[in-house]
Amino acid sequence: KSAYILKEKIKQFLGILIFSIGVCLTAILFTYDPTDPSFRSATSTSANNILGTFGSYIADPLHLAIGMSAYGLSLLCFTWSWRLILKKSSQNFVQRISFTPVSIALLSMLLAAHPIPNNWSFSYGSGGVFGDNALSLILGITLFEINNWLKITTVALAISTTAVLSYTLGITIDETKKFCRLLVQIILDSLKLLFLRK
């Protein structure tokens, strides 16, 4: 029994540690400034990043490589910290978290397949340099007319990203069923309100 309690305490400690990493990662990404000192930019000015030079040296390569999909790392940290701390379906942690590179790569390509936001001021797309290059390689195969091929690729990426990311986040079949029931209930309630207004 004492061994079980110790194991659970270690899991909770790991959850707190992962949560802290998630908070720091989100903070440095949210306060990312391309003019901050980094591996690509040698400057004597002080960093605007919330974690200073340390934060800017982490945020810049992440933003350059995978763009907005870097926030997927924060999502993984917060989800698994919640699971570990509250003992919510945290089985196969190592096995599932090992798919993180695949999840982020797919998310990066999916973001690259969408138009660049108007407020995006970087030379690369919202999926970063990796997303742009990986998507270009796929589109270069051109099995169909390029516009149709882009649509097919985007749908395929959306499905595969959802599947792999769900697995990496530790989402179980029971949680999926609960989410689907909740989604159906929300849709039905919305329809009821719509008809009542009429």
Side-chain angles (χ1 to χ4, degrees):
K1 187 176 180 180
S2 58
Y4 173 78
I5 294 174
L6 178 61
K7 183 180 178 181
E8 292 302 311
K9 291 298 181 184
I10 292 174
K11 280 185 178 182
Q12 290 179 329
F13 174 76
L14 180 60
I16 294 170
L17 180 62
I18 293 174
F19 178 80
S20 301
I21 293 173
V23 170
C24 292
L25 186 58
T26 303
I28 65 173
L29 289 172
F30 189 74
T31 57
Y32 169 66
D33 187 336
T35 63
D36 282 349
S38 65
F39 295 108
R40 295 189 299 152
S41 174
T43 175
S44 58
T45 58
S46 58
N48 294 316
N49 196 283
I50 194 169
L51 292 185
T53 304
F54 173 77
S56 67
Y57 268 81
I58 295 175
D60 185 69
L62 278 176
H63 199 278
L64 173 66
I66 56 178
M68 294 300 292
S69 60
Y71 283 101
L73 296 172
S74 299
L75 176 63
L76 285 166
C77 287
F78 291 135
T79 302
W80 275 107
S81 64
W82 170 74
R83 291 187 181 284
L84 291 168
I85 293 171
L86 300 181
K87 305 173 186 177
K88 298 286 187 179
S89 302
S90 59
Q91 295 87 358
N92 302 320
F93 167 69
V94 176
Q95 180 180 331
R96 285 176 177 261
I97 207 72
S98 64
F99 278 82
T100 296
V102 181
S103 300
I104 299 303
L106 288 170
L107 181 58
S108 179
M109 287 188 283
L110 179 61
L111 289 173
H114 289 79
I116 298 174
N118 294 328
N119 60 346
W120 189 261
S121 58
F122 305 97
S123 59
Y124 45 90
S126 54
V129 173
F130 171 81
D132 289 344
N133 291 335
L135 182 65
S136 295
L137 286 173
I138 295 173
L139 294 179
I141 300 172
T142 56
L143 296 176
F144 304 96
E145 190 273 327
I146 188 62
N147 289 325
N148 291 330
W149 184 226
L150 175 59
K151 292 175 183 177
I152 293 169
T153 301
T154 303
V155 171
L157 282 171
I159 294 171
S160 55
T161 301
T162 302
V164 178
L165 188 58
S166 296
Y167 179 81
T168 311
L169 289 170
I171 296 175
T172 63
I173 294 176
D174 287 339
E175 288 173 342
T176 303
K177 288 179 180 178
K178 288 179 182 178
F179 174 77
C180 289
R181 283 197 293 266
L182 178 62
L183 186 62
V184 169
Q185 189 60 50
I186 291 172
I187 293 172
L188 290 174
D189 290 343
S190 300
L191 289 173
K192 286 179 182 178
L193 287 173
L194 184 63
F195 284 116
L196 284 173
R197 286 179 182 176
K198 291 182 177 180

